[in-house]
Amino acid sequence: MPISCPMNSRLLALLLLAVSVALGFGCNSAHLPWARAQRPPDAPYVVVLGVAQDAGYPQTACRRTCCEAARLEPALRRYVACLAIVDPSAGQRWLIDCTPDFGEQLAMLDALAPPQSSDARAKASQPLLDGILLTHAHIGHYTGLQDLGREVCGSSGMPVYAMPRMTEFLTRNGPWSQLVSLGNIELRPLQADQPVALNARLKVTPITVPHRDEFSETVGFRIDGPARSILYIPDIDKWERWDRRIEDEIARVDVAFLDGTFFDGEELGGRDMSEIPHPFVLESMQRFAALPAAERAKIRFIHLNHTNALLRSDSDANQLLRDAGLSVATQGEIVNLQR
Ligand SMILES: [Zn+2]
Ligand SMILES: [Zn+2]
């Protein structure tokens, strides 16, 4: 006597689908537990903790469909652009930028790369992070530092790596100056093009870029691991205004996370885009069309404004990008720094 019939197979398939959805497989989840299996357990890596422009997605007070959809469906929401660098063998973790979504992003990092000590007391006293590296003083990139103050974490001596004007900005302006005077953060100097050794196998180099520098200079970072390197430039005015060729910088790394704030010049509905210059993704696509496919495959656009159609995976813009051999950074994506 047969033990199953077609109806039972369908039921079984539906059940399996329900279980896999419940476990988070097959959805674009912020946490990607399976990604851990794809690299050697001790290999250092970078994880993308957010992909949105400074104001996040959805954006406060935006009543357009772009943000109303994300308010109705939490799975569509995205945190502000941020990378974490993790060295599992040393149990160390650093952030590049400290965003308004810091709390959520730290929880995401804890789920992926928990603080390592098995001893509960040691774990409780373990620093939250081994350091934070800042790109610049626009709101999406440093205001999460407020959580390190005595009202929230009450951190002690959190290393915060900053360029000279950024250091001055934090030191001279409240409430940030209080983090410095109370010792919640300990400022460590960065100099353009001078590598900083995070530990014996990881180094980070700030690279100055042209950007609206009202409060601080702006840098991107190059992250070098034991065998692979990453470029991170979330904010830049235009590629043409830089004294370097972006193509040369891409050639020197394995993966490049690049400013993709606006897809084109139309999406802000008549606002003067020269006030907020960024390389439109369409312009970057034209520029990078001349690159070999292997170079284009390194590029991931990040720092997406709430109006950017690349935030919606089924958009025409996304298809256009894929057809051009380019891609969008994914929240939760892991890039291995070792082969
Ligand atoms: Zn920004
Ligand atoms: Zn900026």
Side-chain angles (χ1 to χ4, degrees):
M1 190 178 153
I3 54 166
S4 66
C5 66
M7 180 55 82
N8 281 347
S9 317
R10 271 206 298 278
L11 277 174
L12 186 64
L14 279 172
L15 188 67
L16 283 172
L17 181 67
V19 169
S20 66
V21 167
L23 289 172
F25 298 107
C27 66
N28 192 10
S29 162
H31 306 283
L32 301 174
W34 44 264
R36 261 177 288 190
Q38 296 174 344
R39 60 185 155 73
D42 281 349
Y45 61 91
V46 160
V47 55
V48 177
L49 297 182
V51 299
Q53 180 264 5
D54 298 42
Y57 179 64
Q59 180 171 308
T60 301
C62 175
R63 303 281 179 233
R64 292 203 264 164
T65 48
C66 54
C67 290
E68 294 290 25
R71 275 186 204 102
L72 289 171
E73 178 47 72
L76 296 177
R77 295 177 188 179
R78 293 294 177 266
Y79 300 137
V80 176
C82 175
L83 300 185
I85 307 168
V86 180
D87 189 341
S89 67
Q92 290 179 297
R93 316 180 308 169
W94 299 264
L95 287 189
I96 293 191
D97 280 338
C98 196
T99 84
D101 294 321
F102 174 67
E104 300 290 347
Q105 291 173 319
L106 189 63
M108 193 176 156
L109 184 61
D110 280 352
L112 186 74
Q116 269 206 334
S117 178
S118 52
D119 177 77
R121 256 180 52 201
K123 202 185 233 174
S125 63
Q126 201 164 339
L128 296 177
L129 296 160
D130 294 87
I132 298 170
L133 300 116
L134 299 177
T135 58
H136 66 303
H138 283 161
I139 60 160
H141 300 266
Y142 77 99
T143 54
L145 290 176
Q146 67 178 13
D147 284 3
L148 300 176
R150 57 183 169 190
E151 301 88 341
V152 191
C153 305
S155 294
S156 176
M158 170 74 74
V160 173
Y161 297 81
M163 293 288 288
R165 278 188 67 204
M166 185 77 215
T167 298
E168 203 179 307
F169 174 82
L170 294 172
T171 310
R172 293 201 175 171
N173 296 286
W176 323 109
S177 53
Q178 193 177 58
L179 299 174
V180 180
S181 62
L182 294 181
N184 302 121
I185 65 173
E186 193 182 296
L187 289 165
R188 306 258 175 104
L190 289 177
Q191 294 291 338
D193 304 317
Q194 297 299 309
V196 171
L198 297 178
N199 66 19
R201 56 185 197 160
L202 288 168
K203 68 176 182 186
V204 178
T205 309
I207 307 168
T208 308
V209 295
H211 188 44
R212 294 172 292 110
D213 290 345
E214 305 94 331
F215 305 117
S216 75
E217 62 282 87
T218 302
V219 293
F221 286 102
R222 182 194 156 104
I223 305 156
D224 290 295
R228 301 185 84 219
S229 301
I230 292 172
L231 180 66
Y232 182 53
I233 303 181
D235 269 288
I236 187 167
D237 283 355
K238 292 281 180 193
W239 300 123
E240 294 73 24
R241 293 187 199 166
W242 201 15
D243 57 2
R244 301 179 186 219
R245 281 185 74 244
I246 180 60
E247 291 83 354
D248 296 342
E249 302 306 314
I250 295 168
R252 296 190 188 106
V253 297
D254 297 276
V255 173
F257 292 101
L258 302 181
D259 183 340
T261 310
F262 302 116
F263 189 75
D264 60 37
E266 310 301 314
E267 65 193 71
L268 289 195
R271 183 163 168 191
D272 181 2
M273 300 298 269
S274 68
E275 288 175 0
I276 38 172
H278 288 274
F280 300 134
V281 173
L282 266 182
E283 292 173 343
S284 299
M285 284 170 67
Q286 279 165 8
R287 184 169 171 140
F288 298 147
L291 288 175
E295 291 295 290
R296 276 180 277 132
K298 297 175 177 178
I299 298 166
R300 322 260 195 277
F301 290 103
I302 197 165
H303 194 268
L304 310 176
N305 198 56
H306 67 119
T307 51
N308 191 325
L310 293 180
L311 279 166
R312 289 164 287 286
S313 57
D314 58 350
S315 64
D316 293 346
N318 245 299
Q319 189 58 49
L320 210 59
L321 195 73
R322 281 194 291 270
D323 292 347
L326 300 157
S327 52
V328 187
T330 308
Q331 188 165 299
E333 170 181 1
I334 284 177
V335 181
N336 191 4
L337 290 169
Q338 197 168 301
R339 292 205 194 282

